[in-house]
Amino acid sequence: MCGSSDSDSHDGYLTSDYNSSNSLFSLNNGYSYSSASLDRATFDCQDSDLLGNHKHPMLSTEVPRFISNDALHSPITLNYKRDNDDVTYTNAKVNKFMIVLIGLPATGKSTISSHLIQCLKNNPLTNSLRCKVFNAGKIRRQISCATISKPLLLANTSSEDLFNPKNIDKKETYARITLQKLFHEINNDDCDVGIFDATNSTIERRRFIFEEVCSFNTDELSTFNLVPIVLQISCFNRDFIKYNIHNKSFNEDYLDKPYELAIKDFAKRLKHYYSQFTPFSMDEFNQIHQYINQHEEIDASLFFFNVINAGIVEPHSLSHSHYPSTCGRQIRDTIMVVENFINHYSQMFGFEYIESVKLFFEKFEDNHEETLAALDSVVNDEFFNDLQELIENNGFS
Ligand SMILES: Nc1ncnc2c1ncn2[C@@H]1O[C@H](COP(=O)(O)OP(=O)(O)O)[C@@H](O)[C@H]1O
Ligand SMILES: O=P(O)(O)OC[C@H]1O[C@@](CO)(OP(=O)(O)O)[C@@H](O)[C@@H]1O
């Protein structure tokens, strides 16, 4: 066990000075932002042994050959007939789903979201659900590009750096706008599964999100009930991280930047995130569940899944599901499909990804291109040791 322990902070969570009138989601005031109290809650680190895996890159392990190409390419579907007449209601409201992603930058959150959507679309139980990703980075770029018409201005000073913890308020604003967009589209019945794609890397952020979910669900004017699913994406393998950083240097933030500058900037961003990140734990799950039950005055549903190292680390012991006592078929079906996706992620998508990583490094070693040398010079052992130290200083080892 690691991380601080402070029993008062449990109360801080449960007695946040939050109310529906200062909610982000308010049908009467669609553009207000709440200021939830940000007391730090207790964190009981149950995943600490996993974080230690940095020291043992797993790429040397052969990708299992028993997986056929078919299994790699076609998402597994369940032989289970959907009963279209069975619509689940909670508090007389129709259920919709919100997937709250958690994970450091470049762990694969956006990629795995698109895989999940593919899987939901391919399953007869869930293919009628309209899924949409709400990406905080995309919203940030839309807003900042509209004002400065550039992909991302690289910061020269810490006060210019959006990802420096000093500037957390700016970053929170983009996240809130993104969340607001998700609630708005759910409420307008434009979407049935909203994926909130952001790092959601602090307990404070997650507390805010769940306060908003409660506010949405208890708002008399809203017609829908949101069923929250936490999906934590972790990546501890150094080769995976390095490959992902390389790919991140081509995203919209860096379109107009030279490769080396992009790599350096993204590496700096990662360090900021490692210094603040708190993984989601069962302790936090229980606190959130208790909070939702109290505020919604029902036996609320809450689900928690993990994808670790592209699914090659078995996450079963970390996942947790709380089905409400009167759980309808639609919730059970949807969760079953999500659970199936998680449990078979490596076969469906993970091994193919690992093949790409292996190919990348093989090519990299055979033909050490000048531009890629920049990757080695920035994302090296020293960098990984710094990340390890940052996360340890943050209370995890
Ligand atoms: N599971 C995965 N399958 C395929 N590619 C992946 C996977 N995870 C990461 N990647 C690669 O890493 C890059 C960064 O992943 P991304 O999904 O953008 O991470 P995040 O959303 O967590 O910042 C992607 O562009 C992709 O090339
Ligand atoms: O506000 P948080 O939760 O950090 O998440 C949003 C941030 O995550 C990032 C992290 O790199 O997402 P993305 O890579 O998907 O664009 C930033 O672009 C974005 O501003």
Side-chain angles (χ1 to χ4, degrees), residues 41-104:
T42 301
F43 175 72
D44 177 2
C45 175
Q46 311 216 340
D47 309 347
S48 55
D49 52 340
L50 294 165
L51 286 160
N53 278 353
H54 283 298
K55 288 164 197 136
H56 308 289
M58 281 176 226
L59 252 191
S60 50
T61 330
E62 278 294 303
V63 175
R65 294 280 159 209
F66 57 84
I67 307 295
S68 75
N69 273 349
D70 280 358
L72 279 172
H73 294 292
S74 51
I76 290 170
T77 52
L78 298 171
N79 187 15
Y80 190 81
K81 194 177 170 301
R82 182 178 184 132
D83 176 356
N84 286 323
D85 296 333
D86 180 76
V87 180
T88 309
Y89 294 90
T90 305
N91 287 348
K93 291 179 178 182
V94 176
N95 283 313
K96 289 183 181 257
F97 299 87
M98 174 177 178
I99 299 181
V100 179
L101 293 180
I102 297 174
L104 289 158

Side-chain angles (χ1 to χ4, degrees), residues 101-115 135 197-199 233 235 240-241 243-248 251 266 269 307 309-311 345 349-350 352-354 356-357:
L101 293 180
I102 297 174
L104 289 158
T107 47
K109 295 182 298 299
S110 301
T111 311
I112 292 170
S113 299
S114 69
H115 293 159
N135 177 274
D197 182 4
T199 68
I233 314 289
C235 186
F240 294 179
I241 297 172
Y243 171 79
N244 294 358
I245 293 175
H246 164 79
N247 283 320
K248 274 291 192 189
N251 95 344
F266 196 80
R269 184 189 303 189
V307 175
N309 281 352
Y345 185 78
F349 301 100
E352 192 175 351
Y353 160 72
I354 294 166
S356 313
V357 181

Side-chain angles (χ1 to χ4, degrees), residues 256-290:
D256 61 342
K257 317 281 187 305
Y259 180 74
E260 186 171 1
L261 217 56
I263 295 287
K264 279 188 178 154
D265 188 76
F266 196 80
K268 183 167 75 168
R269 184 189 303 189
L270 261 190
K271 284 189 177 177
H272 286 315
Y273 273 101
Y274 270 74
S275 71
Q276 305 166 80
F277 178 60
T278 303
F280 193 79
S281 68
M282 272 312 299
D283 233 26
E284 195 177 340
F285 178 99
N286 291 330
Q287 288 171 35
I288 288 169
H289 189 235
Q290 201 183 340

